[in-house]
Amino acid sequence: MIAAERTSAGGSAIDLAVVGAIALDEIHSQAGDIDQLLGGSAVYACLAASLLTTCAPVSVIGDDLDRGLLQPLRDRGVRLDSVIDAVGPNFRWGCQYSSSGDIRETLYTRAGVYDSVPVVVAPMHRRARVALLTAGNPDQNRRAMAQLVEPELVAIDTIEREVAERRDEFRAQLRHANLVSINTLEAAHLIRWPGSLDDPALAEAAWRDIRLLGPRIFVLKKASLGVEVFQDDRRTQIAAVPDIDAIDPTGAGDSFAGGMLSSLARGADLIEAAVWGCAVASFAIERFGTAGLLRASPRLVSERASAITVRELDGSTPIRETS
């Protein structure tokens, strides 16, 4: 799906540019409470992608973020040339999870310098083969896309706040995307769904709407139930890795996206890549913050991917099952 790596005057192009926040998180879950964790969509997506590909976050960080927290990214080969230092508060986010971990309440979002200082894509990163626009500020996504040179694949991931508060802007961005990855609640906000989130018709309704907006691939994230992948008239259910103890679900969706896109960049087909993304995400939820992802390796992810069940659907009827 992704062509051979391109080169430019600035050197070899990276595989993946991830536009999004580098955050300080406060997490409350059944497993405990913890604050000042390195987080943010760009961090999780890049750590997940770094297992297979070269990647770089495109972000802005404040002067209250301890730069030593970024060392795990450097250790994994993540390139930080497109991360800008700015005077002012860093992006901060806090949440409370339900006992199951499937329901999250955002306690606060303080965007800080990420909302006020424009992102700059470093020259050596402008020919990234894949661009991931993550949860955050649509204005920053537009700025980054204006600096990237014809990426072969553009993917959009999001968060409830963005779809609920800036729905029209988010929908407009979808015209420039090949792939969109959102959860059930975000899908409901996107199409102003009047019914229950448990109604299976929601997924099909969202896909009909998204196809008209531009993306050719829709991934519906369903937390502990895995994901559903829509492409043309094909619908595939991909289960989550079984028997995983969810300590902190933060970053699971971003890790899925980073893992899936890195697998696509390595030549996997769409379903293989989505399975890989689910396997990577299973590591993210096993520890607070990024500690789970830092335990992952390509070998361990492959082992978990082999345990994932895939079901091809025709309407709502399973026609094939593999694991």
Side-chain angles (χ1 to χ4, degrees), residues 99-122:
S99 57
S100 69
D102 278 353
I103 299 175
R104 180 178 68 197
E105 176 189 1
T106 296
L107 302 177
Y108 59 84
T109 302
R110 301 168 189 152
V113 294
Y114 187 74
D115 263 10
S116 59
V117 178
V119 297
V120 176
V121 183

Side-chain angles (χ1 to χ4, degrees), residues 192-269:
R192 292 178 173 160
W193 178 251
S196 167
L197 296 181
D198 296 326
D199 188 339
L202 168 58
E204 290 285 358
W207 178 220
R208 286 195 298 271
D209 188 66
I210 287 168
R211 290 179 77 169
L212 294 175
L213 293 171
R216 307 319 305 163
I217 300 167
F218 167 41
V219 180
L220 181 65
K221 298 179 292 186
K222 303 176 69 175
S224 61
L225 298 178
V227 301
E228 289 192 15
V229 180
F230 295 78
Q231 184 180 33
D232 300 323
D233 296 324
R234 182 185 187 188
R235 179 179 180 182
T236 308
Q237 289 183 342
I238 299 172
V241 177
D243 303 321
I244 297 297
D245 187 15
I247 300 298
D248 175 15
T250 307
D254 302 310
S255 301
F256 165 80
M260 176 178 64
L261 294 174
S262 66
S263 184
L264 285 172
R266 287 288 297 269
D269 69 27

Side-chain angles (χ1 to χ4, degrees), residues 230-316:
F230 295 78
Q231 184 180 33
D232 300 323
D233 296 324
R234 182 185 187 188
R235 179 179 180 182
T236 308
Q237 289 183 342
I238 299 172
V241 177
D243 303 321
I244 297 297
D245 187 15
I247 300 298
D248 175 15
T250 307
D254 302 310
S255 301
F256 165 80
M260 176 178 64
L261 294 174
S262 66
S263 184
L264 285 172
R266 287 288 297 269
D269 69 27
L270 177 61
I271 302 307
E272 290 172 338
V275 168
W276 181 268
C278 286
V280 175
S282 72
F283 285 90
I285 68 177
E286 287 187 311
R287 299 286 190 277
F288 277 108
T290 60
L293 276 179
L294 294 174
R295 295 176 57 248
S297 68
R299 178 183 63 81
L300 292 174
V301 174
S302 293
E303 290 174 0
R304 292 194 180 183
S306 67
I308 292 176
T309 298
V310 177
R311 303 174 70 208
E312 295 285 0
L313 303 181
D314 180 7
S316 60

Side-chain angles (χ1 to χ4, degrees), residues 159-214:
I159 197 167
E160 178 191 354
R161 177 178 69 102
E162 185 178 357
V163 184
E165 297 179 5
R166 304 182 70 167
R167 174 179 176 273
D168 291 343
E169 291 175 86
F170 180 73
R171 289 174 66 86
Q173 285 188 86
L174 294 182
R175 294 198 301 269
H176 308 290
N178 309 103
L179 183 155
V180 60
S181 171
I182 58 179
N183 67 28
T184 302
L185 181 57
E186 293 153 4
H189 282 305
L190 182 70
I191 66 173
R192 292 178 173 160
W193 178 251
S196 167
L197 296 181
D198 296 326
D199 188 339
L202 168 58
E204 290 285 358
W207 178 220
R208 286 195 298 271
D209 188 66
I210 287 168
R211 290 179 77 169
L212 294 175
L213 293 171

Side-chain angles (χ1 to χ4, degrees), residues 70-78:
L70 303 180
Q71 190 59 45
L73 291 164
R74 298 186 185 94
D75 293 343
R76 288 280 283 266
V78 175

